[in-house]
Each structure stands twice: as C-alpha cells, then as structure tokens.
Amino acid sequence: MWNGDSYLTKLYDEAIARHQQLRTLQLRNERRPKLKSALRELVGQFEPNPAHIPKVLERVQCDGYVRERVELSATPELTFAAYVLIPSDVQGPQPSVLALHGHGYGSRQIVGLRQDGSQDDEDPGSHQHFAIQLVKRGMVVIAPDVIGFGERRLHADLALNPDTPSSCYRLSTQLMMLGKTLTGLRVSEALKAFHYLSTRKEVDADRIGLMGFSGGGLIGFVTAVLEARINATVLTGFASTVKDSIFAVHHCIDNYTPSLLVHAELPELIGLIAPRPLFLESGENDPIFPVAGFRKAAAEIQAIYEADGAGDKLLTDVFPGKHEISGRLAYDWLKQTLSP
C-alpha cells in the first residue's frame, strides 16, 4: 500500500499492546514510578534559577479581592509574570489554586482583563474568567502567563505578524531540535509558580490545588503528576485518549510530545495523579476533545482510581457546551476538597 494510514494504525496498536503487556508483567507499584520518571524525561528538564528574587509589579484593589502581578523566573535568562488574586479581608492561611490558561492572550484572559490590560466586563468567552470564579469562593489564585501567548509571544513571530495568535510553533520546533519540549518549559514555570504560591503568607501550603483548561490541562496534568503536594486537580477541555483527540483532530504542535506513546496512553499518564482528588470536565460538543474520547479516558482513569482504592476521589462532569470551561460543579468541588 502506497499511503501510510494502515501503517500508522499498526504502530499505534502495537504500542497499546506493549502497554498492556507491561501492565501484566509489572506490579503497579513498579510501573507507576517508571512512568512518572519517563514522563519527566520526555518533557525535558530545565536549569533552575534559585537566585531570582520575585518582584511585585502592581497591586490593585478589585471587587472583593486584591490583584497583584509578580515577576518570577524558573530558568536563567527567562522571566515571566503571574497574577495573584487574594480574597479581601483574608484571615490566616487559605486554600489556593494554580490556574493555567489555554490558547488565547494569556493570564489576563482568566483574571477579567482584556488583552491590553483594561477591565473586561463583556462575555468572558471560553475561559470564563475562571480565576475570578475561584477567588470569589475564598481561594487565593496564582495565574502565570504561559510562554507563547499574549505578552510572551516571540519577537521573531511578532515581527512577521503583529497579530500572530501564538508562538507555539517556533518554540516547539526549536526546543525539540535542542532535546527539550515546550511542555517541559511550561511545566517548569508552572512548578515555579506553585512553589512561589506555597511561600505566600496568605496561603496554606498543605491545601493547594490546580485547575487547567485545554492546553493548560496538558501543563496541569504533568505538573500535578510531578508535584505530589498538589492536593486536588481539575482538568477541563483536555482529558481524552491520544487516538481520539490528538491523532484524530488537527491540534497545535504544542500538544505533541515525542515518544510519549512508547510508554503509555494519555489516560494511564493522567492516572498517575491517583489517589489524589481529580475532577474531569468536558463539553458535550467539544470539537477538538470529542466527548466520546473523554468518556473513554474517564472510564480508564476511573479503573486506575478504583485499583488504588480511591474510586470516590475521581469525579467527572459532561456539560452542555463546546470547548470551554463550565465550572458548574468543579469550582465548588475544588473549594470543598481543599477545605479542612
């Protein structure tokens, strides 16, 4: 056959068969650490920057909360901004959330601001200003700017097109040629934001959760796997199998991690979060993470949680909607799960 359709199917099927064989041969407590280590190596590691001192860039009183913007650094020569939302009249350390946005114009999109930094009082769109929804439930929220979007697009891309939506292609391809991945860089910065958040006086470091939407779900699941102190995780508009979404639908190149399927399919990797609480949310009509793939992945992850004796720690919600955040159950679940 001249085309490669059946060949690609054969390679995928062989990979899944190998996963199944390894799950049979390896004990659970043997396979899980190997997968976690493999995931860390696949996304790549970056030189840390422990000498960098966080800097507060602004502090604004908002309706029911204070919005700070801080500058952080996870690796030398590269800094990033993050919004920190603090409920007004905080008394003592509070539960908190690392909020990770998806494709769009950056963290401003989830903290109620337009791309130019002005107040956004219109339809919040797919991101639903979800960081505000969390802070208004009494949680401290940190929302880092994910590299490649908004103010963190590359100058090289902006010189060619000032309206370019992202720098994912240039970042992904060049990092891969250098033995690293864009996911790895984004995860290293998410971990830095988590570590900074845990040091804030307003934050109870034992009650920190994570919520990620779309591409933020990719960053979020890897971050939650690698950082065991993340006590509860919400992934929305992301959970699926590689076969049903990443292979079946045209996606941004930042969704692809070389050799990932050599080790496991996505549901087994997300299942490495177990037995910690996990909430999976999906729109019934999501065109890029189709609901059939979500339900298949959720069932596989549920089986992992059941095997860990933590079946009640996984919740799911399929809501009437597309590729967007609902939060109709997830926001309150996160607050309740992180509450003493």
Side-chain angles (χ1 to χ4, degrees):
M1 186 173 292
W2 288 8
N3 60 51
D5 301 72
S6 60
Y7 179 65
L8 291 174
T9 300
K10 173 177 176 291
L11 290 179
Y12 176 84
D13 291 344
E14 289 175 349
I16 298 303
R18 284 196 300 273
H19 305 162
Q20 293 172 342
Q21 183 181 32
L22 287 172
R23 284 198 296 270
T24 301
L25 295 175
Q26 296 174 339
L27 298 174
R28 285 180 57 77
N29 60 359
E30 176 186 4
R31 178 164 173 77
R32 288 170 64 89
K34 287 183 177 180
L35 283 181
K36 181 177 177 179
S37 177
L39 183 61
R40 180 184 288 108
E41 292 301 316
L42 288 172
V43 301
Q45 299 185 54
F46 291 78
E47 179 186 356
N49 190 15
H52 182 268
I53 300 174
K55 181 194 308 181
V56 177
L57 304 176
E58 67 178 38
R59 182 178 174 88
V60 179
Q61 180 64 55
C62 301
D63 181 17
Y65 63 94
V66 172
R67 184 184 71 233
E68 289 187 357
R69 202 175 198 200
V70 299
E71 184 180 65
L72 306 173
S73 176
T75 194
E77 307 298 326
L78 191 59
T79 57
F80 64 96
Y83 285 106
V84 181
L85 309 184
I86 308 157
S88 297
D89 303 321
V90 167
Q91 295 183 353
Q94 302 297 309
S96 60
V97 180
L98 169 59
L100 300 167
H101 66 80
H103 284 65
Y105 58 80
S107 60
R108 286 175 172 168
Q109 197 160 2
I110 67 174
V111 299
L113 299 175
R114 296 189 179 94
Q115 190 165 359
D116 63 4
S118 61
Q119 189 69 27
D120 182 8
D121 296 319
E122 299 180 1
D123 186 329
S126 61
H127 281 81
Q128 294 295 311
H129 295 168
F130 78 90
I132 295 179
Q133 297 297 326
L134 297 171
V135 73
K136 290 201 168 182
R137 285 167 169 79
M139 293 174 279
V140 179
V141 183
I142 189 167
D145 266 330
V146 175
I147 191 168
F149 303 110
E151 296 173 280
R152 302 196 70 199
R153 290 170 293 174
L154 296 178
H155 290 159
D157 289 324
L158 292 171
L160 295 174
N161 177 12
D163 297 320
T164 189
S166 79
S167 290
C168 294
Y169 182 82
R170 192 182 298 267
L171 283 162
S172 293
T173 53
Q174 293 193 24
L175 284 168
M176 281 192 286
M177 292 296 285
L178 293 165
K180 298 182 181 297
T181 70
L182 182 51
T183 295
L185 178 55
R186 289 171 171 173
V187 167
S188 71
E189 293 189 337
L191 288 168
K192 182 66 176 185
F194 169 87
H195 294 151
Y196 169 76
L197 182 66
S198 70
T199 68
R200 298 270 313 205
K201 62 182 177 59
E202 308 93 345
V203 170
D204 183 342
D206 294 324
R207 294 190 288 153
I208 301 180
L210 180 152
M211 183 168 182
F213 168 59
S214 192
L218 169 58
I219 305 165
F221 108 76
V222 179
T223 301
V225 168
L226 298 182
E227 178 49 78
R229 292 180 295 164
I230 293 174
N231 292 310
T233 300
V234 175
L235 304 177
T236 180
F238 173 72
S240 186
T241 66
V242 171
K243 181 178 182 179
D244 291 307
S245 177
I246 307 304
F247 279 4
V249 180
H250 180 76
H251 277 275
C252 176
I253 194 171
D254 65 358
N255 284 279
Y256 300 84
T257 301
S259 300
L260 185 75
L261 286 176
V262 171
H263 300 276
E265 243 284 10
L266 190 53
E268 187 176 9
L269 294 172
I270 295 174
L272 293 174
I273 296 172
R276 288 170 288 154
L278 175 63
F279 194 109
L280 304 175
E281 179 185 82
S282 179
E284 192 168 13
N285 298 306
D286 190 326
I288 60 175
F289 290 93
V291 69
F294 172 82
R295 288 192 168 110
K296 180 178 179 182
E300 294 182 28
I301 297 167
Q302 182 69 52
I304 293 170
Y305 269 73
E306 294 287 352
D308 270 2
D312 61 335
K313 300 296 185 183
L314 175 67
L315 278 79
T316 63
D317 182 32
V318 175
F319 60 89
K322 299 182 180 180
H323 188 61
E324 58 189 321
I325 289 176
S326 165
R328 63 179 184 177
L329 302 177
Y331 297 144
D332 290 334
W333 175 88
L334 198 51
K335 175 61 184 296
Q336 180 180 0
T337 303
L338 294 174
S339 295

